[in-house]
Amino acid sequence: MTLTASMEDYLEAALVLQQKKGYVRCVDIAEYLEVTKPSVSRAVKELGKKGYLVRKEDGTLFLTSHGEQVAERVRERHCFFAERLIAIGVDAKTAETDACRMEHGISDESFAKLKAKYQKEA
């Protein structure tokens, strides 16, 4: 099931916030991604239909095992690209923005080969 880059960003945000705060709410995702609460509500509804995210009765959100797998994959790519861009002298804000774009556009094969290449060099 293909997700848009935006949907992947919502999953990644939920993962980061869950790890940081221990819980996730729509308002937290809205603040983290700097988007509106209605946008988050629509995304959460769609991600719920697709089986990536669940909203509890108290309004908190949690990733399903499938949602967590996708979020972790996206987060790994984001961190990989951001770290390398910063290491070559790109300022942190630009590196974060560029990493966000790169994490969505690269194939699994290309990312695996890049990651393996950097692991050999380390």
Side-chain angles (χ1 to χ4, degrees), residues 31-100:
E31 289 172 7
Y32 183 84
L33 293 176
E34 298 178 349
V35 297
T36 65
K37 287 182 243 175
S39 295
V40 176
S41 292
R42 282 190 300 275
V44 164
K45 186 176 181 181
E46 189 62 30
L47 288 166
K49 285 181 190 175
K50 294 182 178 191
Y52 293 97
L53 197 63
V54 174
R55 184 190 306 237
K56 294 184 187 179
E57 286 185 24
D58 66 1
T60 58
L61 309 169
F62 71 93
L63 295 164
T64 64
S65 60
H66 189 57
E68 190 170 341
Q69 287 175 342
V70 172
E72 286 174 350
R73 187 193 90 232
V74 173
R75 188 71 186 150
E76 177 188 24
R77 291 173 181 212
H78 182 98
C79 292
F80 176 88
F81 289 120
E83 289 167 7
R84 272 131 195 100
L85 290 169
I86 290 168
I88 61 170
V90 176
D91 75 90
K93 185 174 181 180
T94 302
E96 286 293 324
T97 300
D98 289 346
C100 192

